[in-house]
Amino acid sequence: MNVIYLDNNATTAVAPEVLEAMLPYLTTYYGNPSSMHSFGGQVARALKTAREQVADLIGATPTEVIFTSGGTEGNNTAIRSALASFPDRRHIITTQVEHACVLNLCKRLEKEGYRVTYLSVDRRGQLDLLELEAALTGDTALVSVMYANNETGVLFPIDAVGDLVKSYGALFHVDAVQAVGKVPIHLQNSPIDFLTLSGHKFHAPKGVGALFVRRGVPFRPWLIGGHQERNRRGGTENVAGIVGLGQAAVLAKHHLTAMTMQVQALRNRLEQAILATIPDVVVNGQGSPRLPNTSNIGFKYIEGEAILLLLDREGICASSGSACTSDSLEPSHVLKAMGVPYSVLHGSIRFSLSRYTTAAEVERLLAVLPGIVAQLRSLSPFTDDESDWLEQRTHALMAAG
Ligand SMILES: Cc1ncc(COP(=O)(O)O)c(C=O)c1O
């Protein structure tokens, strides 16, 4: 199918080189890396190489890398581990704009008796470090903050946050699922104790990822099982996935400069052309440092889902928020936390590019989008008035077919 795929923050295409690296581990080399025989031993060597490759991408040492099933497991493991390591501390700090796998875990932890502070963000999606400092106490076990927001691409000042966290003796976890492969990450001299990454956001397959745990930081495994991952994560390894993750890490490092040059140039072209050709448009997160590949654009007075539907008919994939919450009609918790007004909130679309996105694809989007927006606006009864919103959006969605 000939799609224009502008939804790379939801997931990415597996790179051909990644698939090629994986295939022998789904066919010829099917041994168990924990086996004593040499048939398994060669698979164990492939895991070792992949661990070195992932460590190299993030500036860590290989023993600091634990392979996981992806971002959700990494985040759950890091947060649970930090709490188990500090049983006397009952306070967690996170932000209002984290991914569902952090926010829903924190809600669960509140039920288990922990106190959770959800830091606010401003209109640009930025944290207030004074608010963080005021929230930190000697009871804070963990601060968990994302590197880059999946919906807006806004980057948090991770080093400044980490320095504050360290001054209170708490552990610092960073969900870097959207940042790895898109911005340089060097963990060697950083205040980060735990860092989560997920392969399918940078051209490895779904269902594989890694958790960085700094050497010397106390760690409690979440999955209890065999001796895999040096007793830190039980379960026979997803060998082919891990080999793919390693190869994707090598490619991500190789393409990092291109990511910040070419992809960012295409993203800027997309953004500037939309701002120039379509009235009543805002870029959510503008004014903050952002990922080079992400643009979250609010089209006032129309419904984001209706835009997506009409784009879909043109073979263009975009998103109105996180893929994990897209089946709910609730507007984005991230944009709500940023105080985005109602007239913009419901009409916000995320375009996320990859190194495979071409200029021709962006031009195709730019050719069809103004017509789609004009068509929907001509049908739209929306105003800045928040009242009767549900009725209005049902009407608009029906009108869009
Ligand atoms: C910021 C962020 N954290 C965590 C996740 C979850 O990662 P995974 O899909 O690998 O479980 C995602 C996925 O969208 C994400 O964007």
Side-chain angles (χ1 to χ4, degrees):
M1 205 168 82
N2 213 0
V3 295
I4 294 179
Y5 188 74
L6 302 175
D7 199 12
N8 287 278
N9 286 9
T11 196
T12 58
V14 172
E17 300 91 328
V18 167
L19 179 63
E20 200 186 322
M22 289 172 66
L23 280 175
Y25 295 91
L26 293 165
T27 52
T28 316
Y29 303 112
Y30 56 82
N32 189 320
S34 299
S35 294
M36 290 301 289
H37 44 70
S38 52
F39 187 60
Q42 58 194 353
V43 178
R45 277 197 294 284
L47 290 189
K48 180 171 180 285
T49 303
R51 203 181 304 282
E52 288 162 3
Q53 291 165 329
V54 171
D56 188 47
L57 176 64
I58 56 176
T61 55
T63 51
E64 293 172 317
V65 173
I66 301 173
F67 291 123
T68 65
S69 65
T72 301
E73 183 188 325
N75 287 342
N76 273 260
T77 304
I79 293 171
R80 290 278 187 191
S81 170
L83 296 177
S85 302
F86 278 150
D88 297 338
R89 297 188 179 202
R90 306 291 293 172
H91 179 225
I92 304 154
I93 299 176
T94 186
T95 82
Q96 292 175 5
V97 297
E98 297 300 306
H99 188 265
C101 65
V102 170
L103 286 178
N104 289 336
L105 173 60
C106 285
K107 282 186 211 148
R108 168 71 66 88
L109 291 167
E110 283 187 89
K111 292 206 178 92
E112 292 175 20
Y114 290 93
R115 190 166 67 81
V116 183
T117 302
Y118 300 90
L119 299 174
S120 64
V121 294
D122 64 16
R123 191 68 181 77
R124 298 168 309 135
Q126 268 312 329
L127 289 175
D128 177 355
L129 292 181
L130 292 176
E131 188 188 351
L132 168 63
E133 190 160 19
L136 280 160
T137 73
D139 192 40
T140 309
L142 170 78
V143 176
S144 178
V145 164
M146 66 201 325
Y147 208 118
N149 189 272
N150 45 307
E151 294 191 26
T152 59
V154 166
L155 295 161
F156 280 154
I158 290 301
D159 285 345
V161 170
D163 289 343
L164 267 178
V165 174
K166 294 286 99 183
S167 68
Y168 282 80
L171 289 170
F172 185 33
H173 166 245
V174 174
D175 173 358
V177 164
Q178 291 293 345
V180 170
K182 297 175 190 159
V183 293
I185 294 179
H186 302 290
L187 288 169
Q188 205 168 26
N189 294 315
S190 117
I192 298 172
D193 295 308
F194 302 100
L195 179 135
T196 303
L197 63 89
S198 177
H200 74 107
K201 308 293 185 179
F202 62 102
H203 306 292
K206 296 157 191 62
V208 66
L211 176 65
F212 159 86
V213 182
R214 183 172 298 286
R215 192 203 313 252
V217 167
F219 181 75
R220 306 292 163 96
W222 178 234
L223 284 184
I224 310 292
H227 298 300
Q228 293 90 352
E229 299 298 292
R230 303 167 87 225
N231 294 316
R232 294 175 298 176
R233 198 267 190 184
T236 303
E237 298 85 346
N238 170 9
V239 173
I242 291 169
V243 168
L245 182 70
Q247 185 59 41
V250 172
L251 294 169
K253 188 172 178 189
H254 178 75
H255 289 288
L256 204 53
T257 315
M259 185 76 193
T260 42
M261 307 297 283
Q262 279 141 249
V263 178
Q264 183 161 296
L266 275 184
R267 191 279 308 268
N268 291 350
R269 157 82 186 137
L270 178 156
E271 222 165 62
Q272 283 152 14
I274 289 174
L275 286 169
T277 55
I278 305 178
D280 290 320
V281 166
V282 291
V283 175
N284 296 312
Q286 199 163 39
S288 270
R290 284 183 295 150
L291 288 173
N293 79 318
T294 308
S295 189
N296 190 309
I297 302 189
F299 299 88
K300 277 182 145 187
Y301 313 127
I302 48 176
E303 192 59 52
E305 275 84 359
I307 305 174
L308 290 180
L309 215 72
L310 296 186
L311 283 176
D312 192 52
R313 286 189 190 158
E314 300 288 336
I316 300 173
C317 309
S319 151
S320 61
S322 162
C324 305
T325 48
S326 58
D327 56 349
S328 95
L329 273 180
E330 270 295 292
S332 148
H333 71 284
V334 175
L335 301 183
K336 268 207 298 203
M338 289 164 68
V340 171
Y342 253 72
S343 54
V344 178
L345 191 59
H346 287 270
S348 288
I349 299 289
R350 177 186 72 188
F351 299 103
S352 46
L353 285 55
S354 81
R355 64 174 182 264
Y356 296 116
T357 307
T358 65
E361 289 176 327
V362 169
E363 294 312 316
R364 174 77 191 136
L365 169 74
L366 293 173
V368 299
L369 191 58
I372 289 176
V373 173
Q375 179 191 344
L376 292 172
R377 281 191 179 148
S378 72
L379 301 167
S380 169
F382 293 173
T383 61
D384 285 316
D385 187 356
E386 203 176 299
S387 59
D388 294 334
W389 186 261
L390 253 180
E391 202 184 317
Q392 290 180 24
R393 63 195 303 260
T394 310
H395 173 85
L397 276 172
M398 282 168 62

